[in-house]
Amino acid sequence: MPERKDAHHLHDLFQLPPGRTLDICLKIHAAILEHRLAPGTKLSEDEVGEIYGASRTVVRAALQALAHTGLVTIEKNRGAFVAKPSIREAHEIFEARALIEPRVARMTAKAITENDLARLQAHIDAEHQALHDGDMGKALSLSGAFHTTIADIAGQQVLAHMVRSLISRSSLIISMYWKRPDTACESHSHHALMKAFAEHDSDAAEEIQKSHLIDLHSGLNLVEVRQQHDSLKDILRTG
Amino acid sequence: MPERKDAHHLHDLFQLPPGRTLDICLKIHAAILEHRLAPGTKLSEDEVGEIYGASRTVVRAALQALAHTGLVTIEKNRGAFVAKPSIREAHEIFEARALIEPRVARMTAKAITENDLARLQAHIDAEHQALHDGDMGKALSLSGAFHTTIADIAGQQVLAHMVRSLISRSSLIISMYWKRPDTACESHSHHALMKAFAEHDSDAAEEIQKSHLIDLHSGLNLVEVRQQHDSLKDILRTG
DNA sequence: ACAATCAAAATTGTATACAATATTTGTGCA
DNA sequence: TGCACAAATATTGTATACAATTTTGATTGT
């Protein structure tokens, strides 16, 4: 179960002490990453509190922590919503990833152990399995986990924290702008990275990661997406 | 008053809606950046609440937001403290800055306007004035503001957010590990950067920023600092 | 039918009360 | 004096109550 292992590192994304606030953060975080919560969804304090059996105090703290990572947007007196990254934000996030992650991959190639390689391979296998099962959300989530695990292996916690945050937000971006929703997003890049890591070839790892991210970026359809619900009435009128 | 202008951008460091929670965040943030709050200082909820005339609810939210940026550490059932970055963290933060800020400087050199140049110059002047007045805290804070303003000018909000966060934490690092506490930290690098910006010389800007950050990094005395208060009794015993 | 307006309901913002956990203080004992 | 232990105090964690604001829904008039 690779997810458990990552969960251990995940807590530092929120910088919160163990407790129910953190639990709720992680649950909602996972739900967003697996695309079970769509961008724009209202996260009512009462509703979330009832689901997890917690009071508003705790839920509120969790939502504010999620807001800080950019996964949730809080509007004054209106509450919390799953974030809807703009096109500009999408470009910026992938530009940041293209800057940071290749460097991280270089460090990973130097530091990686046999055990780490096995962990990464487990991610790839699990992702493959999820795709086979038709669980797209899980597959995407695991694809992100592959990247965060690479950052963990690099052993640079500050950069790893940034990568985790960027990847979480990338998940939202993909759910909004991915060109081929029904297409497997698994490229051969992850396999190529594995090879470079196994050979401790840091130059290759950096280069592969860089082009992989450029590929991902260009796989996005970054044009205005029409909002569906707001104009629902108008849509029905025309029919 | 350049600070006012930056304050406008600063709110996004916390991703909070306007309100007293954000106000308290900004006040404590400023206090830490100006070294009026030393690393390790306990931030009691009641105490902070009384100072700013707010209830614990609001203060708590502010402290958690600050914790998320890494300026404050929250320990379960023990409360919030001004963070004390470890030596490892210090290295990692400056490594991250050396990766991100040169790239940002490159973008800035391309995008900068006359008005922006004036803003940057105002920072330099204010810093010089603060040094002249002997207000070291303010000077350091303004030195950081110079870097964050550069990031704002670059127009890449995601990277700018990261830079702001890194610089805030750098301020803590400097207060803990700076080699020459009584020495002016102003290098000629900022002036050299201004020249490169004015000439839209992005290659030079990137290179200067890179070596500037390496200089800063090497200006730190990254060895264990003895904690003073804990062993106060022992110290007095020996005397 | 449609728009405007206002009351009712629901939701968030904040303060406060109580419970759980640390910290401090004081006491007894070696 | 020094240490161990226990009561008292202080602080944080959580739930709840109330105020402020927004959203919803009904009513009215055109």
Side-chain angles (χ1 to χ4, degrees), chain A residues 20 55-58 77-78:
Chain A
R20 280 191 296 165
S55 79
R56 281 183 54 214
T57 307
V58 175
N77 287 323
R78 286 190 19 90

Side-chain angles (χ1 to χ4, degrees), chain B residues 24-33 37 43 48 52 63 66:
Chain B
I24 294 176
C25 273
L26 295 176
K27 289 236 166 75
I28 295 179
H29 180 262
I32 293 177
L33 257 63
L37 277 173
L43 298 171
V48 174
Y52 297 118
L63 292 174
L66 287 161

Side-chain angles (χ1 to χ4, degrees), chain A residues 213-225:
Chain A
L213 285 164
I214 291 172
D215 279 354
L216 280 180
H217 193 164
S218 64
L220 299 173
N221 186 33
L222 291 177
V223 294
E224 274 312 330
V225 62

Side-chain angles (χ1 to χ4, degrees), chain B residues 36 80 101 109 121 156 213 228:
Chain B
R36 302 199 312 272
E101 290 196 56
Q121 188 59 51
Q156 223 278 28
L213 284 165
Q228 36 258 36

Side-chain angles (χ1 to χ4, degrees), chain B residues 20-21 53-58 77-78:
Chain B
R20 280 190 297 165
T21 298
S55 79
R56 281 182 54 213
T57 307
V58 174
N77 288 322
R78 287 190 16 92

Side-chain angles (χ1 to χ4, degrees), chain A residues 60-225:
Chain A
R60 228 178 130 75
L63 292 174
Q64 287 178 348
L66 287 162
H68 202 112
T69 70
L71 287 180
V72 155
T73 303
I74 294 179
E75 294 175 39
K76 188 170 170 61
N77 287 323
R78 286 190 19 90
F81 305 81
V82 178
K84 301 206 301 188
S86 68
I87 289 171
R88 171 177 179 177
E89 210 176 334
H91 280 298
E92 291 186 355
I93 283 172
F94 275 89
E95 185 178 17
R97 288 187 63 176
L99 171 62
I100 296 171
E101 290 197 55
R103 170 76 68 95
V104 168
R106 165 178 288 278
M107 297 164 66
T108 301
K110 286 176 184 156
I112 201 163
T113 66
E114 287 299 325
N115 189 34
D116 295 329
L117 280 167
R119 275 167 68 202
L120 285 177
Q121 189 59 51
H123 278 304
I124 291 181
D125 295 343
E127 184 185 349
H128 192 73
Q129 181 64 41
L131 276 177
H132 187 268
D133 298 347
D135 191 341
M136 205 62 186
K138 185 136 218 159
L140 273 171
S141 167
L142 284 164
S143 175
F146 182 79
H147 284 255
T148 60
T149 302
I150 289 172
D152 287 335
I153 294 169
Q156 222 279 24
Q157 297 181 356
V158 170
L159 289 179
H161 180 273
M162 290 176 172
V163 168
R164 242 191 298 279
S165 173
L166 289 169
I167 284 172
S168 298
R169 295 164 79 182
S170 295
S171 177
L172 279 176
I173 291 167
I174 287 171
S175 90
M176 287 182 75
Y177 301 111
W178 189 247
K179 274 179 183 166
R180 304 148 286 191
D182 40 84
T183 308
C185 55
E186 197 205 9
S187 64
H188 86 299
S189 302
H190 286 191
H191 291 283
L193 264 176
M194 288 297 285
K195 179 164 178 291
F197 287 152
E199 295 170 358
H200 297 286
D201 186 341
S202 47
D203 288 334
E206 179 170 1
E207 203 52 43
I208 292 166
Q209 186 71 297
K210 190 172 172 184
S211 47
H212 176 42
L213 285 164
I214 291 172
D215 279 354
L216 280 180
H217 193 164
S218 64
L220 299 173
N221 186 33
L222 291 177
V223 294
E224 274 312 330
V225 62

